[in-house]
């Protein structure tokens, strides 16, 4: 599993609309509205780097209202939760 964080700046009046569009995309597991330099942070969990590239460069790119983004690739995840088990259910959807 590949995990990435996409930090996003949106048009001022589009934060909620962009967040709702992003969370509907397969592979985007959460979208956080945040204070600070960015407006939103999207958590991505996908099967492999190819799926990540497709999601970030093809599908997120098409979401209207995004002005700029920066993607961070996670090398290792430290968590209280067994994320592999949680996200392996439905992983068939991530392949599409």
């Amino acid at each position: 599993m590949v995990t990435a964080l996409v930090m996003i700046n949106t048009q001022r009046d589009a934060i909620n609309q962009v967040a709702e569009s992003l969370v509907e995309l397969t592979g985007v597991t959460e979208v956080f509205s945040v204070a600070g330099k960015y407006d939103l942070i999207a958590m991505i969990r996908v099967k492999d780097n190819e799926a990540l590239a497709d999601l970030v460069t093809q599908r997120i790119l098409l979401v209207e209202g995004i002005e700029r983004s920066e993607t961070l690739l996670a090398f290792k995840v430290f968590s209280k939760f067994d994320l592999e088990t949680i996200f392996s259910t439905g992983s068939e959807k991530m392949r599409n």
Side-chain angles (χ1 to χ4, degrees), residues 22-92:
L22 289 171
V23 80
E24 292 299 319
L25 298 174
T26 300
V28 176
T29 58
E30 297 98 9
V31 178
F32 301 92
S33 176
V34 296
K37 184 177 177 180
Y38 299 98
D39 300 310
L40 299 171
I41 297 178
M43 177 75 68
I44 296 175
R45 293 188 177 96
V46 291
K47 179 180 71 159
D48 54 29
N49 285 333
E50 186 176 323
L52 176 63
D54 177 64
L55 179 57
V56 172
T57 64
Q58 299 296 317
R59 295 187 282 145
I60 289 177
L61 181 68
L62 299 177
V63 174
E64 192 170 327
I66 294 177
E67 292 184 338
R68 192 178 51 154
S69 69
E70 181 177 349
T71 302
L72 301 176
L73 183 61
F75 293 127
K76 188 172 183 178
V77 178
F78 298 86
S79 176
K80 290 182 179 182
F81 305 103
D82 182 358
L83 296 177
E84 287 288 337
T85 300
I86 292 170
F87 290 101
S88 66
T89 304
S91 63
E92 309 79 47

